Amino acid sequence: KNEVEQSPQNLTAQEGEFITINCSYSVGISALHWLQQHPGGGIVSLFMLSSGKKKHGRLIATINIQEKHSSLHITASHPRDSAVYICAAQYNTDKLIFGTGTRLQVFP
Amino acid sequence: AAGVIQSPRHLIKEKRETATLKCYPIPRHDTVYWYQQGPGQDPQFLISFYEKMQSDKGSIPDRFSAQQFSDYHSELNMSSLELGDSALYFCASSSRGATQYFGPGTRLLVL
């Protein structure tokens, strides 16, 4: 069983739709990361959260420490948002344990 | 702004050969992390360094070694390469405990 689980694994949406990706982790962490990986492999850090909520443009990330759960929301989705979104848990030594990723495709 | 630099970007080797991957962190970042992402798999943590000392070790084979130098760049040395070592190797850097910034990765193909 992966320590970090994401759902859904695959997600398709029409341009403009509101998108939610969920992440659950099994043990206490120091922070939770949301990452974006495009075809070709490059990884971009979107958010690092230890509590509450963060917003950047059309992206919003929330975390509930008690429930060990985080969500990534994309408002007004666009085809350029198509990518793999990865949730990763950071532990005390700062290493990241990655979730299995959610492959998002947004169609015009 | 300067980002994490990895070299080479692509590498093709044969079985049993050796390979050296290099990572140049963002200036003033003191921590470097190495991750391995096999085809269709999640990235897996290999090893990390803080202030030139190994800070954590993950699923890194004994055939691999790594170090961080005085200028904070890091090298991952891989010997006796196997077909299963074919993967995308990411380096990330951070100031201790802060957001990790990822390099573009080195894609290694072992034939």
Side-chain angles (χ1 to χ4, degrees), chain A:
Chain A
K1 188 179 185 322
N2 201 338
E3 293 178 43
V4 181
E5 294 197 339
Q6 285 183 238
S7 64
Q9 282 191 301
N10 294 284
L11 185 55
T12 57
Q14 288 294 125
E15 184 173 356
E17 286 186 3
F18 180 82
I19 288 162
T20 296
I21 300 170
N22 295 301
C23 174
S24 298
Y25 50 93
S26 59
V27 294
I29 61 172
S30 59
L32 192 287
H33 295 249
W34 282 101
L35 309 165
Q36 181 191 55
Q37 187 171 30
H38 278 281
I43 291 179
V44 174
S45 178
L46 298 175
F47 295 103
M48 176 180 169
L49 288 166
S50 53
S51 64
K53 180 168 84 172
K54 286 189 176 180
K55 184 176 189 292
H56 182 69
R58 295 180 294 106
L59 302 179
I60 303 167
T62 64
I63 188 168
N64 184 319
I65 299 295
Q66 288 74 29
E67 295 186 4
K68 296 186 177 60
H69 180 269
S70 177
S71 293
L72 176 69
H73 306 285
I74 304 175
T75 61
S77 59
H78 190 276
R80 66 175 175 265
D81 297 327
S82 299
V84 176
Y85 291 84
I86 304 171
C87 164
Q90 177 176 323
Y91 294 87
N92 288 337
T93 56
D94 296 344
K95 72 180 181 186
L96 297 184
I97 304 297
F98 292 77
T100 51
T102 295
R103 186 175 300 278
L104 171 66
Q105 286 187 294
V106 181
F107 294 99

